[in-house]
Amino acid sequence: TLFESMEAVKTAKKECMWVPFCTEGEWGLAHFLMKNVGQTKMDDFLKLNIICDQIHTGVWDSGVSFENAHSFLKHVDKLWTGPAWTCEFIDVCGDIIGKDGRLKHEEVELWQCNPIECVQELMGNPAFWDVMSYIPEQAYADANGETCIYDEM
């Protein structure tokens, strides 16, 4: 699968499992920053003395390999993103009549992924292998099996 080939490349290059970050701690910090901090506040945070005190060798005391939001986001951009997104502009006709007496139109963005690539990625991801089901299952709302649940897979 794609994930196995990516893992093989990492192993061949002797890269750590946290690439593009240096350590598990840095990976955790990156996760926290992306989830909880905006770009401006990210710069403020990374300028704190406890984070950015450099020793004379140029190595960060804290073990953080990025010094501002820009260099941090360059690390994030190296992460695997999955199937490519494409954007298409479409003209949508509304049901409201404009001042000119014609129906209003608006150009909107339609963002999409190739659904086959999405399914291939999901099915090839080892994180989901133990929870995937390829056969129909019967599910019941009660212990006696009298009330059948109809649902998506």
Side-chain angles (χ1 to χ4, degrees), residues 108-136:
V108 296
E109 295 178 356
L110 174 64
W111 285 90
Q112 57 194 352
C113 272
N114 181 327
I116 294 172
E117 290 176 9
C118 292
V119 170
Q120 286 173 334
E121 181 175 340
L122 289 170
M123 293 181 74
N125 189 331
F128 301 123
W129 287 352
D130 61 341
V131 292
M132 282 193 271
S133 176
Y134 300 101
I135 57 173

Side-chain angles (χ1 to χ4, degrees), residues 94-112:
D95 59 355
I96 297 174
I97 298 175
K99 292 179 182 178
D100 61 358
R102 295 188 296 181
L103 292 175
K104 288 188 174 185
H105 286 260
E106 182 178 0
E107 187 174 63
V108 296
E109 295 178 356
L110 174 64
W111 285 90
Q112 57 194 352

Side-chain angles (χ1 to χ4, degrees), residues 65-79:
S65 63
F66 41 88
E67 56 193 54
N68 55 39
H70 178 73
S71 63
F72 167 67
L73 293 172
K74 285 177 81 173
H75 278 72
V76 171
D77 288 342
K78 294 176 186 174
L79 294 170

Side-chain angles (χ1 to χ4, degrees), residues 4-149:
E4 291 167 330
S5 62
M6 288 170 46
E7 186 65 28
V9 169
K10 267 191 194 180
T11 303
K13 289 183 178 180
K14 296 187 172 131
E15 292 179 341
C16 81
M17 66 184 294
W18 308 108
V19 167
F21 301 98
C22 295
T23 64
E24 181 178 5
E26 189 173 279
W27 175 263
L29 176 62
H31 182 263
F32 172 82
L33 290 173
M34 288 302 293
K35 192 170 184 178
N36 299 298
V37 181
Q39 190 169 346
T40 304
K41 294 298 179 187
M42 200 178 291
D43 274 331
D44 293 343
F45 174 80
L46 293 170
K47 289 177 185 172
L48 293 172
N49 287 340
I50 194 166
I51 299 297
C52 71
D53 282 341
Q54 283 187 328
I55 56 176
H56 296 294
T57 61
V59 177
W60 296 89
D61 283 342
S62 63
V64 178
S65 63
F66 41 88
E67 56 193 54
N68 55 39
H70 178 73
S71 63
F72 167 67
L73 293 172
K74 285 177 81 173
H75 278 72
V76 171
D77 288 342
K78 294 176 186 174
L79 294 170
W80 171 249
T81 58
W85 286 89
T86 58
C87 180
E88 180 181 338
F89 291 93
I90 58 173
D91 187 46
V92 178
C93 181
D95 59 355
I96 297 174
I97 298 175
K99 292 179 182 178
D100 61 358
R102 295 188 296 181
L103 292 175
K104 288 188 174 185
H105 286 260
E106 182 178 0
E107 187 174 63
V108 296
E109 295 178 356
L110 174 64
W111 285 90
Q112 57 194 352
C113 272
N114 181 327
I116 294 172
E117 290 176 9
C118 292
V119 170
Q120 286 173 334
E121 181 175 340
L122 289 170
M123 293 181 74
N125 189 331
F128 301 123
W129 287 352
D130 61 341
V131 292
M132 282 193 271
S133 176
Y134 300 101
I135 57 173
E137 296 177 351
Q138 291 183 336
Y140 299 95
D142 58 342
N144 297 334
E146 296 173 1
T147 308
C148 190
I149 298 173

